Amino acid sequence: MTDLTHVRTRRGADPHFVNVDLYDNEIGYLELNCYGEVVTAEVHDRGNAKHRGIIAEVHRLVAPVGLAAVSCAVPRR
């Protein structure tokens, strides 16, 4: 598991993007669909293994939240 002590997520100007910061420097972002599911997870410096690990861990932690949001949004019969 990756240490996320100094990682912060924040909404961008576009609500479909969540920026991921490490020590107040943006290292990547998650792109969300209209249901809150992660569509893509991008790292700005793809050669940085630590940044890739952080983005992967944040993506892993966010995925169940998006799935829960989708299940709540689907009309029940």
Side-chain angles (χ1 to χ4, degrees):
M1 187 154 124
T2 305
D3 179 22
L4 301 177
T5 306
H6 301 286
V7 174
R8 176 179 70 133
T9 58
R10 60 187 167 80
R11 286 273 182 179
D14 183 337
H16 292 284
F17 291 91
V18 176
N19 298 321
V20 179
D21 298 342
L22 176 64
Y23 294 106
D24 295 327
N25 294 313
E26 185 176 322
I27 62 168
Y29 63 89
L30 304 175
E31 181 181 359
L32 310 175
N33 65 14
C34 61
Y35 298 112
E37 297 173 301
V38 177
V39 178
T40 56
E42 289 291 327
V43 180
H44 296 315
D45 181 6
R46 293 186 181 149
N48 189 320
K50 181 179 180 178
H51 290 182
R52 286 194 320 265
I54 289 170
I55 296 291
E57 185 70 9
V58 170
H59 184 191
R60 184 187 72 77
L61 293 170
V62 169
V65 176
L67 291 175
V70 169
S71 67
C72 292
V74 175
R76 296 185 181 170
R77 294 179 190 239

